[in-house]
């Protein structure tokens, strides 16, 4: 077949028209309804756990970028194939497009909160894509025929195109393909930009006046040992780790937001953002941790949170005595199941609206999220939270629990060595080993350090402003005369006197354990 390249290009351009027009159409529906978003979200929901962990182990939090790039590559290949197999009366390419459109429509309609209109971007995009595919492939085929005729010496001049005329025809055809491609790209990018702009809540967020708590937790200077390479006690909003399943950050206006407390309660409650202003705010220091944080990992951060006590909000609804779980739900369908008893036991579990003196950043849950000291994020820290369903563990299952993670997620006592990390060879002499240790809501009583197979020696602890946060620690190692390669170990003991386990366990199903260690070369 002649012009294989042009047929592939036609397929790719038609695919681009599909996705581009779907982006434009999604502006009127929901940005999450486009084929790329809907299929991407479907893939995230159906990725086997082992594979997910493996990927995250390699690319870290660039997993979503990787997903989009892979989907892009697959889309280009499929569209190119569609271009090749599409024939005038055997429209295999159109059938391929229609099949993809059907799957994408199903994926979009299957999203949480999807309305029937979520089908429209896929349908409109696919119809346009098929029309463009047929039209471009028709042109390429007609050109092939003209070229064949031109090469046929039997045919008389008027019917036969001269090489110059043929070149003109070719240019017109290429121009049609390029024009459609550019239009698709411009439309798609414009759609995305307009969609993001029109929904962007950052201007609204900048204007939010946070309530003033009666006390703001103070961070004593002694909480920060200010050792080079040691993680600061407080994490800035920009440096705070981020984990969620959202392909694009949900943009939820505080004026549209509400929190519904329902399920096994005496009276269902619905709170608007304005209703919160009538309640008493609290501000607390809490260290959030992700269950997927490997020993020594970075998925843990500490901030000052401003919000409203969950025990008060839940009590107002009158939870039934036989309820034991609060299933919190996000605008994007994510759910977390927290033990009701933990939320009600007097700790500072809250509906947070502020982070380090600012309204919550959109990526961290603006306008409201949950923060529960002592529980991993996947069972408690729902961002963009819109619902608290009071229920039972034997009746409901949360997002990650359905995927093999433990239903209960108390944070395990752990510590991390921050320095000397990646410092190459260190001169013999005094070496400061330092890091952070955490056992949220139990507090940290001590940290010990061991060099190679030596004795465990106590490290000094920084001031801990709260048992709900991590604490810095440091150990002055006299490495004079210790030239060679050494392994440095650390272990923490919590406020109840319980030392963290040395048993090495991976993150699945309820958090990694084992002593962190570091190899250093003295010389
Ligand atoms: N809506 C929503 N909330 C969520 C998640 C999510 O995927 N979606 N992930 C949870 C997990 S696993 C963690 S560890 C914390 C992380 O919060 P952060 O991104 O503010 O650090 O958010 C929790 N809240
Ligand atoms: Mo997490």
């Amino acid at each position: 077949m002649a012009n294989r390249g042009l047929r592939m290009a036609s397929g790719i351009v038609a695919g681009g028209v599909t996705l581009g027009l779907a982006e434009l159409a999604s502006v009127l529906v929901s940005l999450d309804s486009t084929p790329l978003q809907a299929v991407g979200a479907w893939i995230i929901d159906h990725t086997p756990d082992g594979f997910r962990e493996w990927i995250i182990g390699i690319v870290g939090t660039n997993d979503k970028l990787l997903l989009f790039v892979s989907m892009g590559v697959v889309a280009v290949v499929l569209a190119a194939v569609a271009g090749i197999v599409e024939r005038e009366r055997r429209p295999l390419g159109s059938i391929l497009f229609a099949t993809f459109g059907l799957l994408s429509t199903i994926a979009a309609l299957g999203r949480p909160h999807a309305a029937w209109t979520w089908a429209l971007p896929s349908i409109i995009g696919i119809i346009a894509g098929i029309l463009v595919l047929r039209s471009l492939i028709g042109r390429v085929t007609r050109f092939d025929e003209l070229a064949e005729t031109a090469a046929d010496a039997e045919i008389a001049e008027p019917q036969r195109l001269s090489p110059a005329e043929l070149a003109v025809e070719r240019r017109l055809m290429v121009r049609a393909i390029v024009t459609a491609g550019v239009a698709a790209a411009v439309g798609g990018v414009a759609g995305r930009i307009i969609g993001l702009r029109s929904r962007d809540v950052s201007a609204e967020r900048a204007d939010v006046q946070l309530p003033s708590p009666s006390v703001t937790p103070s961070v004593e200077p002694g909480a920060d040992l200010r050792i080079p390479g040691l993680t600061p006690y407080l994490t800035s909003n920009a440096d705070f780790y981020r984990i969620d399943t959202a392909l694009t950050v949900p943009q939820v206006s505080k004026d549209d937001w509400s929190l519904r407390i329902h399920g096994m309660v005496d009276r269902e409650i619905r709170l608007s953002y304005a209703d919160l202003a009538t309640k008493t705010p609290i501000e607390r220091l809490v260290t959030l941790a992700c269950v997927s944080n490997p020993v020594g990992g970075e998925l843990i951060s500490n901030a000052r949170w401003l919000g409203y006590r969950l025990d008060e909000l839940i009590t107002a609804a009158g939870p039934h005595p036989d309820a034991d779980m609060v299933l919190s739900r996000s605008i994007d369908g994510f759910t977390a199941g927290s033990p009701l008893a933990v939320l009600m036991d007097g700790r500072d579990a809250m509906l947070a609206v502020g982070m380090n003196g600012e309204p919550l950043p959109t990526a961290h849950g603006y306008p409201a999220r949950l923060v529960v000291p002592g529980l991993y994020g996947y069972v408690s820290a729902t961002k963009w939270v819109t619902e608290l369903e009071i229920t039972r563990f034997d009746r409901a299952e949360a997002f990650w629990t359905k995927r093999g993670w433990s239903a209960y997620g108390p944070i395990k006592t752990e510590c991390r060595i921050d320095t000397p990390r990646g410092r190459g060879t260190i001169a013999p002499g005094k070496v400061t080993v330092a890091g952070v240790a955490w056992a949220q809501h139990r507090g940290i009583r001590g940290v010990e350090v061991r060099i190679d197979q030596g004795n465990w020696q106590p490290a000094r602890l920084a001031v801990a402003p709260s048992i709900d946060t991590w604490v810095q620690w440091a150990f002055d190692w006299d490495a004079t005369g210790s030239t060679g390669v050494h392994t440095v170990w650390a272990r923490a003991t919590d406020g109840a006197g319980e030392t963290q386990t040395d048993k090495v366990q991976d993150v699945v199903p309820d958090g990694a354990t084992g002593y962190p260690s570091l190899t250093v070369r003295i010389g």
Side-chain angles (χ1 to χ4, degrees), residues 240-246 288-291 299 305 330-332 334 355 363-365 369 376-384 399-400:
F240 207 95
Y241 83 94
R242 177 189 163 200
I243 289 286
D244 53 65
T245 56
L288 278 195
C290 182
V291 69
L299 300 179
W305 304 93
S330 156
I331 189 93
D332 66 355
F334 171 86
M355 182 176 181
H364 294 288
R369 71 170 308 167
Y376 285 122
Y378 82 108
V379 291
S380 68
T382 304
K383 304 191 270 191
W384 316 287
F399 186 90
W400 288 112

Side-chain angles (χ1 to χ4, degrees), residues 366-388:
Y366 178 83
R369 71 170 308 167
L370 303 188
V371 169
V372 182
L375 297 182
Y376 285 122
Y378 82 108
V379 291
S380 68
T382 304
K383 304 191 270 191
W384 316 287
V385 64
T386 58
E387 243 182 78
L388 303 181

Side-chain angles (χ1 to χ4, degrees), residues 174-185:
V174 171
R175 189 180 296 167
I177 295 175
V178 170
T179 307
V182 170

